[in-house]
Amino acid sequence: MNPADSAPATTRRCHRLDISGPAFWARDFAARDEVFARLRAEPGLTWHAPAPAVFPHSEPGFWAVTRQRDIAYISRHPDLFTSGLGISMDPMPVELQRPTTFFLTMDPPQHTRYRRLISAAFTPKQVRRIESQIRANAAEIVDEFLADLRGERPVDLVDSLSRKLPMRTVSDMIGIDRADRETVAYAAEAMFGSTDEEYASLEDRADFFMSQFTILHSAGTELAARRRRAPRDDLMSAIVAAEVDGHRLTDEEIGAFMVLLASAGNDTTKQTTSHGFKALVDHPAQREWLLEDPAARLGGAVEEFIRWATPVVHFARHAVTDTEVAGTRVRAGEKLVLFYCSANRDEAALDAPHIFDLTRDPNPHFGFGGGGAHFCLGAWLARMQLRLLFHELLPRIPEVLLGDPEYVHSDFVHGIKRMPVRRAGSDLRSR
């Protein structure tokens, strides 16, 4: 029996604190965390009403999992908590989630096989090539950004710096034509932030989401087909050729992987760059400490950038059977939403979690998930990009001032859409 079939429809009483509605997610990170802190302080889990549905799909609600230890427990027990029934906080048919999230909606052993197939393409030779490409791109992007800063007008940090490296990295890795890169990047950003009114109204959101998905999926399937006909010495050709236990990825599966790589691999690194840059400007003593020995200190600093940013706010699981989490009885089929944004401010797991501290050691953040089978496959790539970009940027950037950031209105991504930056001494208001 499908565990979701046994989920009770209306027997749970919703918690008095609303973390489902658009008004809550329109607040800034600190204001939201005041609410999550109250939930972390309560015993057990708390039950909440479902988020507004974009697609025709109804759900009874979800358990909010806000503490690190509980998120880790659920993440590391796929036998009790499945990804196969969907990973979105928002009500969405699992049949729609699967093609848009690839192996994120799989459990072992199926998930293990697909993860091994993708990993098999990252040979030492491929990783060395990727690193050299990222280093060269980072240097070029920083050159362009610093040239922009010398102008009279404020520069949008996101457009001029943050979004460029991950977009070029993904494009170089899998061979996206230069003419198609902006279209692919926009589709990825729009999918991640599709709950923001700037991209689509509530009435048009479902159609808009699917149109961006189609762009990404088609780009992947078409590129995979071309590489099967005429292989090159690139990552897409390696993915097409990868084989584990007699299995290979189909073009459709590679299209799904393209959606995941372009959206998750692009937007998360972009957001961490923006949040990390802002944190360094807001905390000049931390920046000075980092500049004293960047080669030795950047690795740890990147971990704090990721924790501080927490670009992915949540993922969900469903209980496979009646079970218990933190003393709370959870019934088969009920949804549990793992709030990484809350875990990365959990006072029980981190010392002074509300302080930006580049010297933090240890730093057991959940910026790449709560561990287990679904620990982020691209963690090494994200770290590499952030380390190489800030290595180029930090010694060369002049003193700057930031304007107010404009945030993505989303319950899934902690994102900055735009943030003006200028050299100290110039007029931020000039246009």
Side-chain angles (χ1 to χ4, degrees):
M1 181 177 66
N2 186 327
D5 294 339
S6 62
T10 57
T11 57
R12 299 289 189 191
R13 177 178 296 179
C14 294
H15 195 274
R16 65 188 181 280
L17 296 175
D18 176 18
I19 60 172
S20 304
F24 175 76
W25 294 102
R27 303 180 190 180
D28 63 26
F29 189 99
R32 294 199 303 261
D33 191 61
E34 290 178 5
V35 177
F36 281 121
R38 292 166 66 182
L39 296 180
R40 289 194 298 270
E42 295 198 11
L45 309 182
T46 56
W47 182 258
H48 298 266
V54 174
F55 298 89
H57 185 69
S58 62
E59 294 179 356
F62 62 87
W63 292 109
V65 189
T66 57
R67 292 179 289 267
Q68 270 209 14
R69 64 175 180 270
D70 300 329
I71 293 175
Y73 174 75
I74 292 168
S75 300
R76 295 167 191 182
H77 286 85
D79 54 323
L80 297 176
F81 307 97
T82 179
S83 300
L85 294 176
I87 58 171
S88 173
M89 169 181 161
D90 298 341
M92 185 185 300
V94 68
E95 293 77 16
L96 179 59
Q97 294 187 51
R98 284 174 182 149
T100 59
T101 57
F102 190 36
F103 62 175
L104 298 188
T105 49
M106 298 178 187
D107 297 308
Q110 183 187 31
H111 172 269
T112 306
R113 177 194 302 160
Y114 280 96
R115 191 178 177 100
R116 288 176 65 196
L117 274 167
I118 298 300
S119 299
F122 290 99
T123 63
K125 180 181 177 182
Q126 286 288 353
V127 172
R128 285 195 300 271
R129 178 187 293 112
I130 290 166
E131 182 170 7
S132 65
Q133 288 174 332
I134 293 172
R135 182 177 288 107
N137 284 337
E140 182 178 333
I141 288 165
V142 169
D143 286 344
E144 295 168 352
F145 174 61
L146 295 178
D148 290 344
L149 275 181
R150 287 194 288 270
E152 294 299 321
R153 297 183 178 183
V155 174
D156 176 16
L157 179 84
V158 177
D159 190 60
S160 185
L161 178 72
S162 304
R163 70 189 297 267
K164 287 186 175 181
L165 185 60
M167 180 179 69
R168 291 190 193 180
T169 298
V170 171
S171 299
D172 287 344
M173 284 171 61
I174 60 181
I176 298 173
D177 293 338
R178 285 188 176 273
D180 298 330
R181 290 183 179 185
E182 282 297 332
T183 300
V184 169
Y186 175 81
E189 293 166 1
M191 274 192 66
F192 245 52
S194 60
T195 55
D196 193 297
E197 289 284 341
E198 180 171 321
Y199 293 108
S201 66
L202 181 61
E203 296 77 14
D204 297 331
R205 202 162 290 163
D207 289 341
F208 178 80
F209 180 91
M210 290 309 301
S211 68
Q212 305 313 307
F213 161 75
T214 300
I215 289 170
L216 296 176
H217 193 274
S218 297
T221 55
E222 291 168 7
L223 187 57
R226 291 202 299 270
R227 291 298 186 268
R228 290 189 195 280
R229 293 192 301 267
R232 296 182 184 177
D233 188 17
D234 62 12
L235 181 63
M236 179 57 82
S237 298
I239 289 173
V240 165
E243 182 174 328
V244 171
D245 299 334
H247 294 276
R248 288 190 175 189
L249 293 171
T250 67
D251 288 356
E252 284 297 307
E253 289 167 341
I254 292 174
F257 174 64
M258 174 70 175
V259 175
L260 179 61
L261 179 64
S263 55
N266 184 348
D267 210 65
T268 53
T269 305
K270 178 187 78 173
Q271 301 302 353
T272 302
T273 299
S274 297
H275 286 290
F277 187 100
K278 182 178 187 303
L280 290 176
V281 174
D282 291 344
H283 301 85
Q286 293 283 304
R287 179 191 170 195
E288 289 303 317
W289 175 86
L290 183 55
L291 279 169
E292 289 172 5
D293 192 357
R297 295 174 177 178
L298 253 175
V302 163
E303 299 305 311
E304 184 69 349
F305 293 162
I306 295 165
R307 183 194 75 87
W308 192 250
T310 314
V312 175
V313 171
H314 77 266
F315 273 126
R317 302 287 188 271
H318 289 78
V320 174
T321 185
D322 289 355
T323 186
E324 185 175 295
V325 179
T328 300
R329 294 288 298 169
V330 177
R331 300 173 190 168
E334 289 183 332
K335 178 189 286 188
L336 304 98
V337 179
L338 317 182
F339 286 103
Y340 307 125
C341 58
S342 177
N344 279 343
R345 300 296 188 270
D346 185 352
E347 301 86 346
L350 295 139
D351 293 332
H354 298 284
I355 294 175
F356 177 70
D357 182 7
L358 298 182
T359 70
R360 188 180 299 279
D361 185 24
N363 191 351
H365 67 78
F366 278 14
F368 294 120
H374 283 280
F375 182 81
C376 178
L377 180 62
W380 67 273
L381 183 61
R383 287 170 167 139
M384 182 187 294
Q385 291 182 84
L386 292 164
R387 177 173 51 83
L388 293 175
L389 181 66
F390 280 95
H391 178 77
E392 288 289 336
L393 180 65
L394 285 169
R396 301 172 57 195
I397 190 169
E399 291 297 321
V400 298
L401 296 176
L402 294 177
D404 292 334
E406 184 179 347
Y407 291 95
V408 180
H409 184 183
S410 172
D411 62 16
F412 181 64
V413 58
H414 180 209
I416 297 175
K417 286 194 290 189
R418 284 174 284 272
M419 184 164 59
V421 57
R422 63 172 173 87
R423 290 170 300 149
S426 60
D427 185 359
L428 188 64
R429 296 168 298 174
S430 63
R431 290 291 184 269

